[in-house]
Amino acid sequence: MDTLSENRNNLRNRIRRCQLNQRQELQNELDEINLLVKEARKNVKICERIQKRTEDMARRETVISSINASVDRHQLLDHIEQSSE
């Protein structure tokens, strides 16, 4: 993405300095790069969301595991108390 942004900036500078007959060709190239940058940014956002969701799921799984372990211990203690009576 950094390379695309750098290429886009270079192309913008070339458009400013070019002659009118070359401008449309360079503008078309700039439009293509803009689309690529847009897609790359979208992919980065999607990856960041996936990473956040994965971290949230891992945290929730840890909490659920600790709750289940606590419930299992509680049930085991209840069973021991009942069998000793």
Side-chain angles (χ1 to χ4, degrees):
M1 195 158 113
D2 292 335
T3 305
L4 285 173
S5 294
E6 185 178 328
N7 288 342
R8 182 172 59 175
N9 290 335
N10 291 337
L11 195 54
R12 284 179 180 160
N13 291 334
R14 286 176 49 201
I15 289 173
R16 286 186 200 112
R17 289 178 286 208
C18 77
Q19 297 176 4
L20 291 175
N21 59 354
Q22 296 174 329
R23 185 164 285 177
Q24 187 58 46
E25 181 181 328
L26 293 174
Q27 186 62 45
N28 291 341
E29 191 176 338
L30 179 63
D31 292 343
E32 290 177 21
I33 290 175
N34 284 337
L35 288 175
L36 292 173
V37 168
K38 183 178 179 179
E39 284 297 315
R41 285 183 177 156
K42 184 190 291 186
N43 288 336
V44 167
K45 285 181 182 180
I46 289 171
C47 290
E48 287 172 349
R49 288 182 197 148
I50 289 171
Q51 181 181 5
K52 184 178 183 315
R53 241 184 266 148
T54 302
E55 291 168 356
D56 289 346
M57 289 173 60
R59 190 180 71 249
R60 288 177 185 164
E61 184 177 333
T62 303
V63 170
I64 290 171
S65 296
S66 66
I67 289 172
N68 286 341
S70 174
V71 168
D72 289 343
R73 280 184 287 219
H74 189 317
Q75 288 174 348
L76 180 62
L77 289 174
D78 285 347
H79 180 67
I80 291 172
E81 286 177 6
Q82 289 176 356
S83 58
S84 66
E85 293 175 350

